[in-house]
Amino acid sequence: MATFCSLRSLLGLQKLVCSVSPFYPMRSYSSSPFGRIGFIGLGNMGARMADSLIKDGYEVAVHDINHNIMKMFSDKGVLTEDSPLKVAETSDVVITMLPSSNHVLDVYTGKNGFLSGGNLLRPRLFIDSSTIDPQTSRKVSAAVSNCSLIDKRDGWNAPAMLDAPVSGGVLAAENGTLTFMVGGPEEAYLAAKPLFLSMGKNTIYCGGSGNGATAKICNNLAMAISMLGVSEAFALGQFLGIEASTLTKIFNSSSARCWSSDTYNPVPGVMDGVPSSRNYIGGFASKLMAKDLNLAAASAKDIGFKCPLTSQAEKIFTELCNNGHEAKDFSGVFRYYYSGKDEQ
């Protein structure tokens, strides 16, 4: 690919560095082909991801509409800017972690967005870790690809974009153990891999632009349907007279075993350290699951694909949110939709 034709030598050096230690200890931005990293979106996930980069030695500039979180970073000596455009003007790479497709479009193409200064860009690479629909990812990637670089160096002849949503939640962001699902040019992915491994422990290349976003909504779709199936079965079992802890032992040693039963059990009192053990506080909010199911349903509709389970799951989690449980972990569907009982 012409954009990255002479980047291969840099990638070879990176692979050599990576092979010395698979855990990337004591990485520094000075060993990366990138200098300053811009970060937009300092919510529960983004703030922790930016912190991981800072702790790993990268020079970071940040922006968020929340002035309190901006002050927190400023007090730590981190450069803060008052717009996405200002961040882009001082960064070699910009990472975004935003709530929705509309927020991503605004940060890229809106007033004071990355592309609002014209067709010449400083950042060589844009990475969007938001969970959005694949169509928006591809639209924004095409807009970035149509721009030019102010400084064509290190083999980069044009800017590139990666869609790189994450799995693991706030705890994994805190511990730097996220999994990144990445779509976009493969050589851009390889160049960005040290950044991903500063914030997480796994990276999976999914193919072309939008495929990272596709992977994320498909993963969360399967997770939602799995949780509904397990919750429904546990609640039915309780009403028929069998304890959920007994059913859990059966599930986890037979064909019903899955993440929702053996790692993230939705029944309070069955498993320690999961949201169901703390009144469904923390974890992955039901409103976020409803949002992701909406993205999956809309994407299926766009291509004329029938998704009856997606539609039903979206309806259930939307109802859960409308009944006042939007902030509760999505495993709360066991209690708040199926009327499941705590394990005694």
Side-chain angles (χ1 to χ4, degrees):
M1 188 176 295
T3 304
F4 310 103
C5 57
S6 61
L7 187 60
R8 295 182 186 274
S9 59
L10 280 171
L11 296 178
L13 175 60
Q14 283 186 357
K15 290 176 183 177
L16 177 61
V17 172
C18 294
S19 67
V20 173
S21 170
F23 301 104
Y24 293 80
M26 300 302 292
R27 286 182 299 277
S28 168
Y29 76 89
S30 60
S31 65
S32 164
F34 308 116
R36 179 173 287 153
I37 311 300
F39 206 106
I40 313 294
L42 302 171
N44 288 334
M45 295 292 292
R48 289 164 172 81
M49 292 163 68
D51 270 333
S52 292
L53 291 168
I54 294 164
K55 290 173 183 176
D56 227 10
Y58 287 93
E59 183 181 358
V60 177
V62 301
H63 171 74
D64 194 274
I65 60 173
N66 185 325
H67 295 292
N68 291 329
I69 194 74
M70 288 274 278
K71 185 178 186 304
M72 186 184 79
F73 275 85
S74 178
D75 288 347
K76 293 190 293 187
V78 178
L79 177 65
T80 58
E81 299 284 6
D82 61 10
S83 73
L85 179 60
K86 289 284 186 64
V87 171
E89 288 174 342
T90 62
S91 301
D92 296 314
V93 180
V94 182
I95 302 170
T96 48
M97 188 60 163
L98 300 163
S100 70
S101 299
N102 287 337
H103 290 96
V104 172
L105 285 171
D106 185 57
V107 164
Y108 274 84
T109 63
K111 182 181 179 182
N112 295 319
F114 299 145
L115 309 184
S116 64
N119 201 43
L120 287 175
L121 305 176
R122 171 174 169 172
R124 287 167 278 166
L125 181 60
F126 294 85
I127 299 171
D128 181 38
S129 288
S130 316
T131 297
I132 63 174
D133 62 279
Q135 296 87 339
T136 297
S137 287
R138 290 169 181 146
K139 178 180 179 180
V140 175
S141 179
V144 168
S145 298
N146 287 330
C147 294
S148 300
L149 288 173
I150 293 173
D151 184 8
K152 296 179 181 179
R153 57 189 175 91
D154 296 332
W156 293 74
N157 297 318
M161 181 179 174
L162 298 170
D163 48 289
V166 301
S167 179
V170 173
L171 184 61
E174 179 81 36
N175 296 330
T177 57
L178 293 166
T179 293
F180 287 84
M181 297 157 266
V182 189
E186 186 172 9
E187 292 197 40
Y189 160 73
L190 292 172
K193 198 169 182 181
L195 296 176
F196 294 135
L197 293 175
S198 283
M199 299 178 283
K201 68 175 183 178
N202 295 309
T203 68
I204 301 170
Y205 180 62
C206 302
S209 174
N211 282 12
T214 296
K216 177 61 185 289
I217 62 173
C218 289
N219 178 80
N220 283 17
L221 164 61
M223 182 170 68
I225 292 172
S226 169
M227 182 59 73
L228 289 175
V230 165
S231 296
E232 190 169 297
F234 281 146
L236 176 62
Q238 286 182 336
F239 284 110
L240 291 175
I242 188 170
E243 291 185 347
S245 57
T246 302
L247 270 182
T248 295
K249 292 175 184 177
I250 294 168
F251 284 13
N252 293 345
S253 60
S254 63
S255 56
R257 183 177 184 178
C258 63
W259 180 83
S260 296
S261 67
D262 71 3
T263 303
Y264 212 81
N265 197 288
V267 183
V270 170
M271 183 177 291
D272 293 330
V274 294
S276 63
S277 70
R278 49 180 186 268
N279 197 30
Y280 302 104
I281 294 172
F284 189 65
S286 292
K287 64 181 178 181
L288 297 179
M289 181 56 83
K291 169 210 160 190
D292 291 355
L293 288 166
N294 179 265
L295 291 174
S299 296
K301 183 178 179 180
D302 282 345
I303 61 172
F305 185 75
K306 293 181 180 179
C307 282
L309 295 182
T310 302
S311 299
Q312 186 63 21
E314 180 189 14
K315 179 180 178 181
I316 290 172
F317 280 101
T318 299
E319 181 178 330
L320 203 66
C321 294
N322 291 340
N323 288 336
H325 308 299
E326 67 275 3
K328 296 287 189 177
D329 181 74
F330 81 107
S331 63
V333 71
F334 170 77
R335 174 187 289 171
Y336 302 117
Y337 183 82
Y338 291 108
S339 301
K341 302 175 179 64
D342 294 10
E343 187 81 349
Q344 300 300 317

